């Protein structure tokens, strides 16, 4: 463990920024009341950067009460008023962009170039998108569908939303949970992962600075078993949105359905990367390395299973390994770093366990170890390529969540698409081909919520994100996310002014 006094000066000063605790309730920071503490650790150094009091059930109750109190005013605001507040919010986030990037790099181990160019700009763009989308909460246009009545559809906010976000993209996941909910007129209580709370708290503070009313956005930082389960089960929470592992998602669903809550789940993934024999090999190799290593592989949509048609297989393995070997592993705050550590030493050890168990039946082409020297105290793991694994092996079936890509060959197109779909997950996939018909077939037949063609990873605010099968249901981002955060109400007006209507005879009297 490093001495905190030896911190690199450019790292984010977490202790100074969060002296009042890691909760944010009714527009104010607060300390948790569970009686237990948690320490945020810089995974690049093993250094303790912030110790705070965890939230307990009482803190969740207070946050839900604040959200419930704020709901009538926020839901009653005009779409234009909510839009204006979110535009101001986007502007405040932009003013704090560098601080957000440094805080995210500190708690997650992400290289600064990733947080500066991906996490933070994407979050600001999300805020700007939902500022505009708040004005477009529309139902079906009015019409006389029965002949005697005029019908129209209203979209109304649900109420208090209780959301749980993961540790891999703390800032972006806070935005994905909070923005569509509040744009639609809901209020929210978000529980971030207790190991990465900093940017979620900064996000909520920025909302207050922008003039979003107190209680609309609340943060409770506690454990899943105590704070998370209490939030999901809370009788005043009308909806639960969860992003995380499929195993935990099942538990969240059990609790939420006991109180008949609206439920949105974005769960695990094991994305196939399908390379046909007419693909641009250089493009596929570059796409595989970037798609597998983004965020040190801690991404539900990361390329994890590369299926390469046999004529290109050996060349793909050779070139991918060579390119992986050029990736610069280092301190997230150091210039030139491409790949930082995993989020924790426990996660690093978990990833190493997958690779070590695979050695008996597959070929570890490159990587497969933690670097030593100056990086020995951090949660680092080298970019790793595994070839010749069996389709039913652990590294092909299970979500590793680290900088590990597994490559397998296939022969026919039918076989390749079949292998891509041979998984319980269905979050994302990509197909690589110069043939538009071949690629189009893959987009139709691969069962995933997103299928890229000749690329892997890019996301945009205007398009939805969400999965099939064990990857969950419902959508983040885009106008489609309003399907999760609104109630659809049918309103029907009688146009006849007739007291005794013809249909009444089916209940009483004669025609």
């Amino acid at each position: 463990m490093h001495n905190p006094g030896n911190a690199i000066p450019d790292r984010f000063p977490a202790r100074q920024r969060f002296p009042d605790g890691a909760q944010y309730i009714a527009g104010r920071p607060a300390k948790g009341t569970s009686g237990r503490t948690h320490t945020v650790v810089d995974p690049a150094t093993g250094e303790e950067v912030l110790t705070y009091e965890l939230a307990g059930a009482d803190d969740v109750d207070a946050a839900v009460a604040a959200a419930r109190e704020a709901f009538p005013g926020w839901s009653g605001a005009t779409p234009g008023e909510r839009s204006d507040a979110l535009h101001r919010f986007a502007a405040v986030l932009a003013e704090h962009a560098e601080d957000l990037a440094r805080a995210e790099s500190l708690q997650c181990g992400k290289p600064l170039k990733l947080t500066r160019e991906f996490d933070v700009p994407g979050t600001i763009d999300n805020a700007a998108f939902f500022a505009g989308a708040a004005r477009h909460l529309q139902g079906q246009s009015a019409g006389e569908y029965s002949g005697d009545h005029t019908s129209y559809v209203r979209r109304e906010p649900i109420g208090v939303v209780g959301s749980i976000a993961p540790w891999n993209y703390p800032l972006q996941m806070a935005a994905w949970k909070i923005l569509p909910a509040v744009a639609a007129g809901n209020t929210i209580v978000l529980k971030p992962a207790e190991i990465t709370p900093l940017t979620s708290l900064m996000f909520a503070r920025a909302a207050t600075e922008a003039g979003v009313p107190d209680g609309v956005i609340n943060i409770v930082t506690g454990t899943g078993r105590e704070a998370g389960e209490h939030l999901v089960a809370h009788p005043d929470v009308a909806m639960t949105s969860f992003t995380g592992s499929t195993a935990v998602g099942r538990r969240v669903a059990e609790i939420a359905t006991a109180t008949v809550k609206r439920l949105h789940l974005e769960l695990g993934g094991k994305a196939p990367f399908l390379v046909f024999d007419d693909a641009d090999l250089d493009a596929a190799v570059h796409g595989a390395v970037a798609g597998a290593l983004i965020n040190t592989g801690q991404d539900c949509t990361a390329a994890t299973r590369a299926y390469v048609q046999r004529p290109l297989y050996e060349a793909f393995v050779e070139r991918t390994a060579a390119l992986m070997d050029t990736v610069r592993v280092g301190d997230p705050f150091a210039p030139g770093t491409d790949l930082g550590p995993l989020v924790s030493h426990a996660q690093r050890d978990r990833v190493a366990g997958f690779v070590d168990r695979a050695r008996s039946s597959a070929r570890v082409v490159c990587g497969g170890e933690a670097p030593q020297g100056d990086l020995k105290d951090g949660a680092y793991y080298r970019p790793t390529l595994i070839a010749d694994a069996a389709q039913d092996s652990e590294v092909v079936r299970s979500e590793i969540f680290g900088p590990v890509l597994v490559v397998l060959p296939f022969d026919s197109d039918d076989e390749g698409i079949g292998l891509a779909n041979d998984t319980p997950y269905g979050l994302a996939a990509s197909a690589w081909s110069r043939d538009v018909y071949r690629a189009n077939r893959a987009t139709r037949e691969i069962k995933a919520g997103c299928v890229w063609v000749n690329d892997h990873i890019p996301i945009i605010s205007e398009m939805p994100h969400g999965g099939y099968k064990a990857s969950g249901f419902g959508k983040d981002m885009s106008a489609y996310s309003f399907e999760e955060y609104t109630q659809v109400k049918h309103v029907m007006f009688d146009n006849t002014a007739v007291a005794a209507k013809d249909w009444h005879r089916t209940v009483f009297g004669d025609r």
Side-chain angles (χ1 to χ4, degrees):
M1 188 70 67
H2 284 251
N3 185 330
N6 295 332
I8 294 174
D10 287 338
R11 278 175 147 74
F12 181 80
R15 286 187 181 86
Q16 293 92 317
R17 296 297 183 88
F18 300 99
D20 299 317
Q23 320 303 322
Y24 197 79
I25 299 171
R28 292 175 295 281
K31 294 184 178 181
T33 63
S34 70
R36 291 177 291 107
T37 61
H38 185 82
T39 297
V40 177
V41 175
D42 178 352
T45 63
E47 176 185 305
E48 298 178 3
V49 297
L50 178 70
T51 298
Y52 66 91
E53 298 81 4
L54 287 161
D58 289 346
D59 304 300
V60 173
D61 290 343
V64 172
R68 186 179 181 186
E69 183 177 351
F71 178 73
W74 184 249
S75 62
T78 67
E81 290 168 338
R82 290 199 294 270
S83 175
D84 288 346
L86 293 177
H87 276 298
R88 295 193 302 270
F89 188 15
V92 172
L93 290 171
E95 291 171 5
H96 295 298
E98 180 64 13
D99 269 358
L100 288 164
R102 289 183 174 277
E104 196 79 333
S105 289
L106 178 71
Q107 66 182 354
C108 299
K110 300 169 184 272
L112 267 177
K113 68 177 181 178
L114 180 65
T115 58
R116 284 172 171 164
E117 299 177 31
F118 183 77
D119 297 71
V120 174
T123 300
I124 295 167
D125 186 71
N126 260 236
F129 171 81
F130 280 107
R135 289 180 177 266
H136 297 283
L137 275 170
Q138 299 171 344
Q140 192 171 3
S141 59
E144 287 68 48
Y145 299 98
S146 77
D148 291 338
H149 305 82
T150 295
S151 289
Y152 66 87
V153 169
R154 290 175 54 89
R155 283 193 180 273
E156 297 179 349
I158 294 171
V160 177
V161 177
S163 290
I164 300 175
W167 48 256
N168 58 331
Y169 288 101
L171 178 61
Q172 285 196 315
M173 293 298 100
W176 287 16
K177 299 299 182 195
I178 291 169
L179 291 169
V182 300
N186 302 284
T187 56
I188 191 166
V189 178
L190 174 78
K191 192 201 87 67
E194 62 269 29
I195 65 173
T196 55
L198 305 184
T199 48
S200 298
L201 292 164
M202 294 168 71
F203 189 81
R205 288 182 182 183
T208 299
E209 186 179 338
V212 175
D214 294 348
V216 172
I217 298 171
N218 307 275
I219 308 293
V220 290
T221 310
T223 65
R225 189 163 297 279
E226 185 172 3
E229 292 197 3
H230 189 66
L231 178 61
V232 175
H234 202 290
D236 291 332
V237 169
M239 174 189 167
T240 291
S241 177
F242 170 80
T243 296
S245 72
T246 298
V248 178
R250 291 191 186 100
R251 174 63 179 158
V252 169
E254 289 173 3
I255 299 170
T257 52
T259 50
V260 199
K261 284 179 170 59
R262 177 80 67 89
L263 184 60
H264 167 214
L265 298 175
E266 197 269 90
L267 306 176
K270 191 71 177 173
F273 187 98
L274 187 60
V275 182
F276 294 102
D277 58 13
D278 67 333
D280 181 327
L281 183 58
D282 285 340
V285 166
H286 281 80
V289 173
L293 300 184
I294 186 169
N295 202 33
T296 319
Q298 299 165 124
D299 187 311
C300 298
T301 64
T304 57
R305 298 179 292 139
Y307 295 103
V308 182
Q309 207 150 23
R310 204 168 296 275
L312 297 184
Y313 179 71
E314 292 298 340
F316 179 91
V317 170
E318 180 182 348
R319 294 191 193 183
T320 300
L323 187 56
M324 278 189 171
D325 282 339
T326 70
V327 173
R328 297 164 295 182
V329 180
D331 189 290
F333 289 82
T337 291
D338 296 320
L339 194 77
L342 287 105
V343 75
S344 68
H345 289 76
Q347 182 63 16
R348 189 270 313 275
D349 293 345
R350 179 180 180 274
V351 171
F354 275 103
V355 177
D356 290 343
R357 290 190 296 273
R359 294 180 192 277
S360 62
S361 58
R363 177 165 51 110
V364 178
V365 183
C366 68
E369 62 182 4
Q372 298 302 308
D374 292 343
L375 303 180
K376 64 181 176 58
D377 293 327
Y380 294 93
Y381 199 77
R382 293 194 184 281
T384 300
L385 183 68
I386 298 175
D388 307 333
Q391 177 65 14
D392 62 356
S393 64
E394 180 188 47
V395 289
V396 174
R397 306 300 297 175
S398 299
E399 192 172 27
I400 299 172
F401 230 54
V404 179
L405 176 64
V406 184
V407 189
L408 300 86
F410 70 94
D411 292 304
S412 69
D413 289 15
D414 288 348
E415 181 190 9
I417 292 173
L419 290 169
N421 283 330
D422 182 22
T423 176
Y425 300 107
L427 187 57
S430 62
W432 297 75
S433 174
R434 290 185 175 97
D435 185 328
V436 65
Y437 298 102
R438 211 175 197 183
N440 198 29
R441 179 193 174 189
T443 65
R444 290 194 312 271
E445 296 186 13
I446 293 175
K447 305 304 180 187
C450 174
V451 181
W452 294 281
V453 176
N454 296 327
D455 208 344
H456 194 110
I457 285 296
I459 52 175
I460 49 175
S461 297
E462 291 83 358
M463 289 291 115
H465 175 87
Y468 286 28
K469 302 189 291 187
S471 291
F473 47 82
K475 300 298 178 186
D476 289 310
M477 299 199 299
S478 83
Y480 290 98
S481 64
F482 287 138
E483 302 294 335
E484 318 306 323
Y485 295 101
T486 56
Q487 298 276 18
V488 174
K489 178 186 287 184
H490 171 214
V491 178
M492 187 179 235
F493 279 86
D494 170 59
N495 293 330
T496 66
V498 173
K501 294 179 171 57
D502 185 59
W503 74 267
H504 293 174
R505 70 176 180 80
T506 62
V507 181
F508 64 90
D510 300 320
R511 180 175 291 169

